[in-house]
């Protein structure tokens, strides 16, 4: 019994630590930061309206509506237009630093705090897209984000080594540290899996999804659907509508399992990206599809650039 438990713990350790690629974490950092800059830029257009006391929601009302803990920064800082603009500018600067790899894990932690603060300040305009952005930042906090493509590591190598306790460590030890620290990637993968499981379960409970008519009602949503042109033979065909509806149902049901199976992983990622790009083409959902595409890339193991081998004696 003890041997079985020990073997199980070793497998769990390998799953959480030794089987992740730090290069994938770097790709996620760059892609997420680029998307976050767009996200923050759009927020800045109406920041005073949405997040200050002279806008549509007073801070006391926001605190009442907030269902989480009241430790968001805007519940303690003055909710003036100037303060909102300054905080949003800081968020933009830290997003740029994350993109460039300057103290990336610190930037990710600060970005998480900023997103919680802004989203709690006006939860009425938040949706699932905002939740994914927030959770993504939380997962980034635990990843080896400066493994490569890092200006901070290039400009201040001595400081970087001191902060990461690599001053007396060789290149092999540094690579092992990065590999072991990549367990945050698993958090993102598990979160994505649970999202697809939840979406599939919700659809299976709906009669319209089971009988194949759900997308017919989606096609009638003029405020969301119709971003890209589609031939009328698709939107008016009963058979094609049922085929498209069941295809979405099958893909979302299969993804949580196919993503974890090595032989089907690449195909699952391709199918998932195809699903989200098709939704992006047809519907107005801002950045939700793109943050999901980036999340799917967490299942792709990129080869890491290994440091130079130590010279043999």
């Amino acid at each position: 019994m003890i041997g079985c438990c020990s073997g199980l713990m070793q497998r769990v350790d390998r799953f959480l630590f030794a089987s992740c690629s730090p290069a994938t974490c770097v790709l996620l950092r760059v892609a997420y930061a680029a998307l976050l800059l767009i996200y923050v830029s759009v927020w800045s257009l109406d920041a005073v309206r949405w997040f200050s006391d002279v806008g549509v929601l007073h801070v006391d009302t926001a605190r009442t509506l907030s269902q989480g803990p009241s430790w968001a920064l805007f519940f303690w800082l003055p909710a003036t237009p100037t303060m909102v603009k300054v905080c949003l500018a800081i968020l933009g600067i830290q997003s740029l630093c994350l993109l460039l790899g300057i103290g990336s894990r610190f930037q990710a932690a600060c970005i998480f705090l900023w997103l919680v603060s802004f989203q709690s300040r006006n939860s009425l305009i938040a949706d699932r897209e905002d939740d994914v952005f927030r959770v993504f930042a939380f997962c980034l906090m635990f990843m080896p984000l400066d493994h490569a493509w890092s200006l901070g590591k290039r400009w201040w190598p001595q400081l970087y080594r001191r902060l990461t306790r690599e001053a007396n460590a060789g290149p092999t030890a540094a690579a092992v540290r990065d590999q072991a620290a990549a367990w945050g990637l698993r958090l993102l993968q598990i979160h994505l899996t649970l999202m697809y499981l939840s979406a599939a379960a919700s659809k299976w409970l709906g009669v319209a999804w089971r009988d194949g008519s759900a997308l017919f009602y989606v096609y009638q949503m003029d405020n969301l659907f119709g971003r890209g042109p589609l031939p009328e033979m698709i939107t008016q065909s009963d058979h094609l509508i049922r085929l498209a509806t069941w295809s979405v149902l099958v893909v979302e049901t299969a993804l949580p399992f196919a993503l974890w199976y090595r032989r089907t992983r690449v195909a699952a990622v391709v199918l998932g990206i195809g699903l989200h790009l098709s939704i992006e083409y047809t519907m107005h959902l801002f950045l939700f599809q793109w943050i999901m595409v980036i999340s799917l890339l967490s299942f792709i193991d990129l080869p890491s650039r290994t440091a130079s081998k130590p010279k043999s004696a």
Side-chain angles (χ1 to χ4, degrees):
M1 184 65 180
I2 296 178
C4 289
C5 292
S6 177
L8 179 61
M9 290 303 299
Q10 290 178 2
R11 291 186 178 183
V12 172
D13 286 342
R14 286 196 300 269
F15 171 75
L16 291 176
F17 303 114
S19 56
C20 294
S21 170
T24 301
C25 300
V26 175
L27 173 63
L28 296 178
R29 183 204 88 206
V30 174
Y32 174 79
L35 206 61
L36 186 62
L37 286 171
I38 301 174
Y39 184 84
V40 174
S41 299
V42 173
W43 262 3
S44 65
L45 298 177
D46 295 301
V48 174
R49 175 185 300 176
W50 299 126
F51 303 115
S52 72
D53 280 348
V54 300
V56 297
L57 193 66
H58 194 272
V59 66
D60 293 331
T61 306
R63 186 180 289 109
T64 303
L65 294 174
S66 178
Q67 299 178 354
S70 299
W71 56 271
L73 294 179
F74 286 113
F75 293 156
W76 307 100
L77 296 174
T80 61
T82 301
M83 180 61 67
V84 170
K85 292 178 180 179
V86 169
C87 293
L88 199 60
I90 295 174
L91 173 57
I93 293 172
Q94 293 194 297
S95 301
L96 181 61
C97 290
L98 180 65
L99 176 67
L100 299 177
I102 303 175
S104 298
R105 294 179 69 177
F106 171 76
Q107 307 300 343
C110 293
I111 288 170
F112 172 73
L113 180 59
W114 284 122
L115 292 180
V116 170
S117 300
F118 276 103
Q119 293 170 9
S120 298
R121 178 61 181 83
N122 193 342
S123 59
L124 298 179
I125 64 173
D127 54 23
R128 297 289 77 82
E129 171 190 294
D130 303 281
D131 294 340
V132 178
F133 267 94
R134 185 177 65 251
V135 171
F136 206 118
F138 178 82
C139 294
L140 286 178
M141 292 163 49
F142 306 101
M143 298 185 194
L145 302 178
D146 289 328
H147 175 80
W149 303 344
S150 171
L151 288 184
K153 189 175 181 180
R154 180 183 297 272
W155 289 348
W156 304 292
Q158 297 299 328
L159 177 61
Y160 177 84
R161 290 173 183 172
R162 184 174 300 176
L163 292 176
T164 56
R165 299 180 181 178
E166 291 182 12
N168 300 319
T172 303
V176 171
R177 182 196 62 80
D178 278 344
Q179 190 79 359
W183 67 273
L185 186 64
R186 291 299 189 206
L187 293 179
L188 181 60
Q189 292 173 339
I190 293 172
H191 175 258
L192 183 64
T193 302
L194 293 176
M195 286 184 63
Y196 283 122
L197 281 174
S198 176
S202 300
K203 287 180 173 60
W204 278 109
L205 292 175
V207 177
W209 283 98
R210 295 200 303 270
D211 65 21
S213 62
L215 289 188
F216 169 78
Y217 301 103
V218 175
Y219 294 162
Q220 315 309 314
M221 301 169 64
D222 296 334
N223 60 327
L224 291 177
F225 190 81
R227 182 176 186 178
L230 283 178
E232 289 188 2
M233 63 171 293
I234 295 179
T235 58
Q236 302 297 327
S237 172
D238 181 66
H239 296 293
L240 291 179
I241 288 176
R242 292 181 187 275
L243 178 61
T245 301
W246 288 330
S247 297
V248 173
L249 190 59
V250 169
V251 170
E252 289 193 350
T253 303
L255 282 179
F257 307 98
L259 286 171
W260 291 102
Y261 188 49
R262 186 177 299 274
R263 294 184 177 180
T264 60
R265 184 171 301 158
V266 175
V269 171
V270 172
L271 281 176
I273 292 176
L275 171 65
H276 289 294
L277 290 182
S278 65
I279 298 175
E280 172 67 17
Y281 175 77
T282 56
M283 300 188 70
H284 300 273
L285 295 177
F286 193 35
L287 298 177
F288 178 72
Q289 307 307 326
W290 294 108
I291 191 65
M292 293 299 291
V293 167
I294 295 174
S295 300
L296 281 169
L297 296 180
S298 65
F299 283 92
I300 300 299
D301 290 330
L302 297 178
S304 301
R305 292 179 57 187
T306 57
S308 58
K309 297 181 180 179
K311 296 180 179 179
S312 57

